[in-house]
């Protein structure tokens, strides 16, 4: 695992966008694992710019999102479907609709939906690059502390800390969904390459734990030690005090 301090959010977002861009220009049939949240907004803005400036053919690119809130329709302004449309698919409207995958949070049978999604990722994958944010509590996707390494896509309960953190996007904390359909840790680990981004002081504690080298089920992101191809891009505020230099 490599932690790279890119100084500021702007440069880190551009760097991540270039990695996505390079991936799909090298292989126009690339499979991208996508994430949502505040961290990713600038990554998509830069990615869209690169796609536009270079007229990239994305018709054969396939995308797989990590998660979706339970109970929100695809058009709900805070659903992750809606987020993806706003930040990427409406900005660069050349993706093929059937190649865009986001779990359906208001499916009639959510357990069936989770199974369908997991089987689809396994069958159409593996994902070439999975981008990830990290929760203040160390979650990746909505895999909260204590999640099993073997977990697959399923319905999960959000922790109080996640509900509080995500309430900034809703009018009131009561409106934040209490559950999500989320890829599991084992689903995420099936990607060939993983890029995790973290910005701001609030993420420093989680990144410091991630930099410690100690795998801990209470900090789900530490499972990434077991993956051979992981990079963490941080800004100065989220960078651990000890970046690992031995002197
Ligand atoms: P954020 O969320 O980018 O909105 O901080 C990240 C996460 O919870 O995974």
């Amino acid at each position: 695992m490599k932690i790279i301090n890119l100084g500021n959010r702007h440069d880190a977002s551009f760097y991540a966008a270039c990695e996505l861009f390079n991936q799909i220009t090298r292989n126009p049939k690339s499979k991208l694992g996508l994430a949502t949240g505040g961290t990713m907004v600038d990554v998509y803005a830069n990615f869209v710019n690169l796609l536009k400036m270079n007229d990239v053919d994305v018709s054969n690119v396939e995308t797989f999102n990590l998660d979706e809130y339970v109970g929100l329709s695809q058009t709900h302004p805070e659903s992750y479907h809606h987020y993806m449309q706003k930040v990427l698919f409406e900005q660069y409207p050349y993706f093929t609709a059937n190649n865009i995958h986001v779990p359906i949070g208001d499916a009639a049978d959510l357990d069936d939906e989770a199974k369908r999604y997991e089987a689809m990722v396994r069958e159409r994958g593996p994902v070439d690059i999975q981008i990830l944010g990290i929760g203040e509590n160390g979650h990746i996707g909505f895999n909260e502390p204590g999640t099993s390494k073997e977990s697959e896509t399923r319905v999960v309960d959000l922790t109080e800390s996640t509900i509080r953190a995500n309430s900034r996007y809703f009018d009131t904390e009561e409106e934040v969904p209490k559950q999500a359909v989320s890829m599991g840790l084992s689903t995420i680990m099936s990607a060939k390459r993983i890029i995790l981004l973290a910005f701001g002081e609030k993420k420093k504690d989680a990144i410091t734990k991630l930099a410690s080298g100690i795998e801990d089920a209470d900090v789900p992101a530490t499972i990434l030690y077991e993956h051979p191809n992981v990079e963490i891009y941080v800004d100065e505020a989220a960078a651990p005090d000890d970046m690992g230099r031995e002197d």
Side-chain angles (χ1 to χ4, degrees):
M1 177 186 296
K2 202 159 63 176
I3 299 185
I4 307 178
N5 179 355
L6 285 139
N8 61 66
R9 178 193 185 106
H10 177 270
D11 291 352
S13 301
F14 182 66
Y15 196 81
C18 288
E19 293 297 324
L20 295 176
F21 173 78
N22 286 335
Q23 172 64 43
I24 63 175
T25 49
R26 269 196 306 267
N27 176 8
K29 292 188 177 170
S30 289
K31 294 162 198 295
L32 303 180
L34 301 181
T36 51
T39 309
M40 297 299 154
V41 171
D42 293 347
V43 176
Y44 293 123
N46 283 291
F47 185 41
V48 165
N49 274 340
L50 289 166
L51 294 175
K52 284 183 178 165
M53 286 188 292
N54 295 280
D55 266 335
V56 180
D57 176 7
V58 292
S59 59
N60 291 311
V61 172
E62 200 158 357
T63 67
F64 303 81
N65 265 78
L66 284 170
D67 44 25
E68 177 60 285
Y69 285 121
V70 161
L72 300 195
S73 69
Q74 300 188 14
T75 54
H76 187 288
E78 294 310 331
S79 75
Y80 290 156
H81 272 90
H82 189 258
Y83 172 107
M84 289 309 304
Q85 289 299 327
K86 290 284 156 212
V87 299
L88 178 59
F89 301 124
E90 281 176 12
Q91 303 300 324
Y92 196 71
Y94 307 108
F95 287 83
T96 303
N98 284 342
N99 288 348
I100 297 172
H101 310 289
V102 184
I104 298 168
D106 62 349
D109 186 327
L110 289 164
D111 291 331
D112 271 4
E113 168 57 11
K115 283 200 191 87
R116 176 197 72 78
Y117 199 78
E118 178 71 22
M120 190 270 305
V121 175
R122 300 285 178 174
E123 192 191 314
R124 302 179 83 119
V127 158
D128 294 296
I129 300 184
Q130 172 70 58
I131 53 170
L132 292 177
I134 186 169
E136 289 167 39
N137 63 3
H139 75 201
I140 48 176
F142 275 125
N143 295 290
E144 301 285 25
T147 300
S148 149
K149 281 189 212 180
E150 280 79 43
S151 52
E152 300 192 325
T153 308
R154 71 223 178 281
V155 177
V156 295
D157 295 328
L158 310 191
T159 60
E160 282 301 315
S161 117
T162 297
I163 292 169
R164 213 174 316 116
N166 289 7
S167 66
R168 66 192 193 277
Y169 301 114
F170 292 81
D171 289 338
T172 63
E173 201 167 307
E174 286 66 54
E175 286 174 54
V176 184
K178 308 291 179 281
Q179 290 186 309
V181 178
S182 177
M183 280 189 196
L185 293 176
S186 121
T187 330
I188 291 171
M189 291 287 280
S190 69
K192 291 188 200 164
R193 179 180 175 200
I194 295 177
I195 296 174
L196 182 148
L197 294 105
F199 305 140
E201 180 121 36
K202 283 188 176 164
K203 301 291 171 74
K204 180 170 176 164
D205 190 41
I207 295 298
T208 301
K209 287 180 181 150
L210 189 51
S212 71
I214 302 161
E215 196 172 320
D216 177 355
D218 285 335
V219 185
T222 59
I223 192 185
L224 298 176
Y225 296 136
E226 292 186 22
H227 194 287
N229 197 0
V230 178
E231 292 136 273
I232 318 282
Y233 303 162
V234 296
D235 65 359
E236 180 63 25
D241 292 328
D242 177 4
M243 286 289 289
R245 190 179 60 208
E246 290 173 27
D247 51 15

